Amino acid sequence: MRTISERWRAWIIVAMLFLFMVVNFADKAVIGLAAVPIMHDLSLTPAQFGLVGSSFFLLFSISGICFGFLANRVKTKWLLTLLSLIWALIQFPMVGTVTLPLLVFCRIVLGLGEGPAFPLALHACYKWFDDRRRGLPHAIVQQGANTGMMIAGPLLTFIIVRYGWHHAFLALGVVGVAWTALWVLLSVEGRVDEVPADATASNALSDRVPYKRLLADRTLIGNLMLSFVGYAAISICFTWFPAYLRLGLGYSATSAGWLFSLIIAVQIPVTLALSWSSQRMLAHGISSRVARGLIASVGALVAGIAFFSTVVDAAPAFKVVCLAIGSVTSQLIFVFGPLMIGEVVPAPQRGAMLSINNSIATIAGLIAPALMGHAVGAVHGMSAGYEIGFAVLGSLLLMCALAGFRLLDPERSKLGVARNWTPGRHDAPSSQPAVDV
């Protein structure tokens, strides 16, 4: 039984990781919120701005994989400290005179620092909670992303309209430095090491499985497919949604900022409710295939229908609702996907596999914003260009949802991994037990 102070320590870490993701996604969202004045001031075409959005992902995947393998050996406290410093410091060049090459360079470096962020934050969180108790803390950390974009909408828009877009980047740099200082002072590494009675079917042993075996697993393949198309959706969201609301649907800058926040805000109660429901389902003996895999697949299916529906000749309010539904349900894979990875993959390899999955999936972020930029520039009628892009995204979501229904089965994958276990070193169980929720 843990003391009250030890339980509070775990939740302090969860709170700090939540704030970490808030800063992370505010940094991502600022480029979309400042899209119109940046394109105006730098005389950028939609295709050039699409290149700026995609440049963020140039080193994103490579960095994610490298840091993921480092996380198997280096404390996440120091890895997250380094990442947050990169984010903060690269904002300050945007305060002065900015050219297109400088803008692209800063986004590339920011992507290098943000590539490993989400998987390493989850890895740090999982060190404090066992598999059956990770649902709620995971959801809280993950909701930092939505909260970051939600706060960024009105707050950064106010700064951009009132003081100019340069000051928005300055504000994010200062916030990043402040978070880093607090993290260094407050963070402690968790040491949960799950060793259940039925060790043969567990992912919690310290034995290692060949990565080629893990990468060929059905659940991890299905998870990767849904994550890839989910990241295409999220990269289009923070790069092009605000511009679509303004230039495609005719909303003012202030209204677009608030609507962008509203679209993101819808995700928070929906995600928390589904996470709680999933955790309760698991507690009542319902399989992870249903409690995690089915929910994620249905989410992708609904998102595909919603994005495809933007092509309908309807009022702007209807299209905003479609964007809200699509943005909410397409992101459910980022709630349940990492939990399924943590369920299947041996604990010593969890950090690397979380990062590999995230890094491959985020290649979509390198492609999707640029393709959307070409669609917007090439199609006569700016609104039609956006909506063709959304329809393509919806079609991909529908196809990946069908694959998810077929492939996602963590219990079956866990047994398959156990049968192909590679004997290795067994570490002694940690003296620190899991935290009760």
Side-chain angles (χ1 to χ4, degrees):
M1 182 66 65
R2 299 182 58 78
T3 66
I4 293 176
S5 61
E6 288 173 326
R7 293 183 182 183
W8 273 108
R9 179 179 296 172
W11 288 105
I12 287 171
I13 297 300
V14 171
M16 288 299 299
L17 293 173
F18 169 83
L19 293 175
F20 177 78
M21 294 306 300
V22 168
V23 177
N24 178 282
F25 271 75
D27 288 345
K28 288 183 175 73
V30 67
I31 195 70
L33 294 167
V36 174
I38 288 176
M39 286 192 288
H40 178 268
D41 290 355
L42 303 186
S43 301
L44 302 181
T45 66
Q48 287 175 316
F49 187 74
L51 174 65
V52 172
S54 291
S55 67
F56 174 83
F57 295 96
L58 185 62
L59 299 178
F60 198 96
S61 299
I62 297 171
S63 173
I65 293 173
C66 292
F67 273 82
F69 280 99
L70 279 175
N72 291 344
R73 302 180 181 277
V74 179
K75 290 183 177 181
T76 50
K77 172 176 181 173
W78 301 117
L79 293 178
L80 295 181
T81 299
L82 175 60
L83 295 180
S84 64
L85 278 176
I86 293 173
W87 308 349
L89 297 179
I90 202 59
Q91 305 295 339
F92 294 116
M94 299 294 292
V95 177
T97 302
V98 178
T99 62
L100 177 59
L102 178 62
L103 179 59
V104 170
F105 172 77
C106 289
R107 297 305 288 179
I108 290 173
V109 175
L110 182 65
L112 182 148
E114 294 200 349
F118 182 55
L120 290 191
L122 295 181
H123 186 48
C125 175
Y126 291 179
K127 290 184 178 186
W128 287 94
F129 302 88
D130 65 32
D131 180 61
R132 294 286 169 168
R133 296 186 177 93
R134 284 175 187 158
L136 183 57
H138 170 104
I140 293 172
V141 174
Q142 196 266 343
Q143 286 314 301
N146 296 327
T147 304
M149 289 194 288
M150 183 181 68
I151 293 173
L155 184 58
L156 292 180
T157 298
F158 171 79
I159 294 173
I160 291 165
V161 172
R162 181 73 179 269
Y163 302 104
W165 58 269
H166 298 276
H167 285 80
F169 289 92
L170 174 62
L172 291 172
V174 172
V175 170
V177 170
W179 184 91
T180 305
L182 281 175
W183 175 252
V184 171
L185 290 173
L186 299 177
S187 64
V188 178
E189 202 80 2
R191 294 173 297 162
V192 169
D193 187 6
E194 302 170 74
V195 186
D198 183 12
T200 60
S202 170
N203 67 323
L205 298 176
S206 26
D207 291 329
R208 294 173 183 267
V209 177
Y211 282 98
K212 63 180 181 180
R213 166 64 190 166
L214 293 173
L215 291 170
D217 174 72
R218 57 181 290 147
T219 295
L220 299 188
I221 290 172
N223 188 50
L224 179 59
M225 292 177 67
L226 286 171
S227 297
F228 187 90
V229 73
Y231 220 95
I234 201 171
S235 64
I236 288 173
C237 174
F238 64 71
T239 303
W240 286 111
F241 271 23
Y244 173 62
L245 292 171
R246 289 190 63 182
L247 304 178
L249 299 183
Y251 290 98
S252 68
T254 301
S255 296
W258 280 105
L259 283 172
F260 179 78
S261 293
L262 180 62
I263 289 170
I264 303 304
V266 174
Q267 297 186 29
I268 297 176
V270 172
T271 301
L272 290 175
L274 288 175
S275 297
W276 179 83
S277 299
S278 173
Q279 190 161 303
R280 294 290 298 170
M281 291 165 72
L282 291 171
H284 285 85
I286 296 175
S287 71
S288 182
R289 182 177 190 178
V290 174
R292 291 171 175 170
L294 183 62
I295 294 176
S297 299
V298 170
L301 181 68
V302 173
I305 295 171
F307 280 121
F308 202 88
S309 297
T310 59
V311 301
V312 174
D313 185 13
F318 173 81
K319 299 189 177 187
V320 171
V321 171
C322 289
L323 293 181
I325 293 173
S327 65
V328 170
T329 55
S330 66
Q331 303 310 298
L332 292 179
I333 187 60
F334 299 116
V335 179
F336 300 107
L339 291 169
M340 289 186 281
I341 292 173
E343 187 177 350
V344 173
V345 176
Q349 297 171 278
R350 185 180 60 215
M353 281 306 302
L354 285 168
S355 295
I356 289 171
N357 179 81
N358 191 71
S359 296
I360 296 175
T362 53
I363 293 173
L366 184 63
I367 303 169
L371 290 180
M372 177 69 88
H374 283 290
V376 172
V379 177
H380 180 68
M382 187 163 290
S383 177
Y386 286 109
E387 289 154 11
I388 287 173
F390 292 142
V392 172
L393 175 62
S395 299
L396 293 173
L397 280 160
L398 290 172
M399 289 187 288
C400 290
L402 296 177
F405 289 128
R406 178 70 178 87
L407 295 174
L408 296 177
D409 190 348
E411 287 90 355
R412 180 175 174 182
S413 292
K414 187 158 55 175
L415 291 172
V417 167
R419 284 195 296 268
N420 290 271
W421 212 259
T422 299
R425 176 177 59 85
H426 288 265
D427 297 327
S430 167
S431 60
Q432 180 175 342
V435 176
D436 294 329
V437 176

